Amino acid sequence: MKKAAVNKRSLPELVTRLVLFLIGMAVIAAGTSIFVLSDTGSDPFAVFMQGVADTLHISNGIAHMGINFTYLLVILIFARQHIKIGTVAAIFICGPIIDLVSFLLSPFLNGSLNFWVRVAVMLCGCIIMGFGLAMVINADVGVSPNDLASIVISDKTHIAFRWIRIAVDLMLVTTGFLLGGVIGVGTIAGALLTGPVTQFFSPFHLKLTRRIVGSVLRRPDLPETI
């Protein structure tokens, strides 16, 4: 996946990128909440988290932190240059937004809806998550540890991000299911769609980020490799 080159950034540029990152994380959290409310199965990471929690007899929250800490440790050893402020911030941002969106939308989106309506809601959630993830990646101030793992593998192997993301998600689903996680039609859809949707929106967000940052810096001719 095409990414912005890393260089020394001015404070206005860094602040602008952080704002885009925060908006992207909010979009991801909203998409995740909509996905969960569709009641068609947990997303791949959540299945793995549930399996780990069940196997180790710990809470989902502790399992979530433990898995992300493990991701961070591995990335720190093999690709520490990918770890940025957003990698750490992402761990603390998504949860509260997911809870807020779930609270607001749960009276309207829940398991009582027709199955095919819930499938449509789930697909919307996948698209929203992919849109937000593409925005976060192209803000280039870091992504969550579990998303970063796919990016690092893609960079190291030179295999398109969408295929790496599908492979990683399927691995999480399979391992999580074997450990006791719960899956459904939404789980498989999430594993197959998130990567391609993210890569589909990535060129749009790369150009948008370049345009916004260039406007802030008053450099409309700013190249894509900012």
Side-chain angles (χ1 to χ4, degrees):
M1 175 175 289
K2 190 174 184 181
K3 302 194 289 46
V6 177
N7 63 0
K8 188 175 181 179
R9 291 166 178 161
S10 65
L11 182 60
E13 178 181 353
L14 180 59
V15 171
T16 302
R17 287 181 177 276
L18 283 172
V19 170
L20 292 173
F21 166 83
L22 292 173
I23 294 173
M25 289 302 302
V27 173
I28 291 173
T32 300
S33 179
I34 291 171
F35 185 102
V36 172
L37 290 174
S38 72
D39 195 25
T40 56
S42 301
D43 65 273
F45 184 78
V47 173
F48 182 61
M49 176 189 69
Q50 291 169 356
V52 171
D54 184 63
T55 300
L56 299 180
H57 304 291
I58 57 178
S59 70
N60 286 335
I62 293 177
H64 186 280
M65 289 187 291
I67 294 168
N68 275 304
F69 176 78
T70 302
Y71 272 126
L72 274 176
L73 182 61
V74 173
I75 295 169
L76 181 63
I77 294 173
F78 295 103
R80 67 178 60 191
Q81 70 275 13
H82 288 270
I83 297 178
K84 302 175 183 178
I85 184 173
T87 307
V88 179
I91 300 175
F92 304 98
I93 293 173
C94 269
I97 299 177
I98 289 173
D99 289 341
L100 175 61
V101 175
S102 296
F103 173 76
L104 294 174
L105 296 184
S106 57
F108 312 100
L109 303 178
N110 51 63
S112 66
L113 296 173
N114 176 275
F115 173 75
W116 293 110
V117 173
R118 289 189 285 120
V119 168
V121 170
M122 176 270 293
L123 292 175
C124 287
C126 283
I127 293 172
I128 293 171
M129 284 191 291
F131 184 87
L133 180 54
M135 187 174 189
V136 166
I137 290 173
N138 285 288
D140 198 28
V141 291
V143 297
S144 62
N146 56 302
D147 292 321
L148 182 55
S150 297
I151 295 172
V152 171
I153 295 173
S154 177
D155 285 347
K156 295 291 186 182
T157 61
H158 304 292
I159 298 174
F161 173 81
R162 61 181 178 272
W163 302 120
I164 294 296
R165 182 58 187 253
I166 288 174
V168 170
D169 281 351
L170 289 176
M171 181 185 68
L172 291 176
V173 168
T174 302
T175 305
F177 176 71
L178 292 175
L179 292 176
V182 180
I183 67 173
V185 63
T187 306
I188 305 302
L192 295 176
L193 289 177
T194 302
V197 170
T198 301
Q199 187 149 358
F200 174 81
F201 284 118
S202 187
F204 166 78
H205 280 301
L206 180 60
K207 293 178 180 178
L208 179 64
T209 300
R210 178 175 66 91
R211 187 172 302 143
I212 292 175
V213 172
S215 176
V216 170
L217 300 180
R218 297 184 179 180
R219 290 177 57 191
D221 60 335
L222 201 65
E224 289 190 2
T225 54
I226 53 178

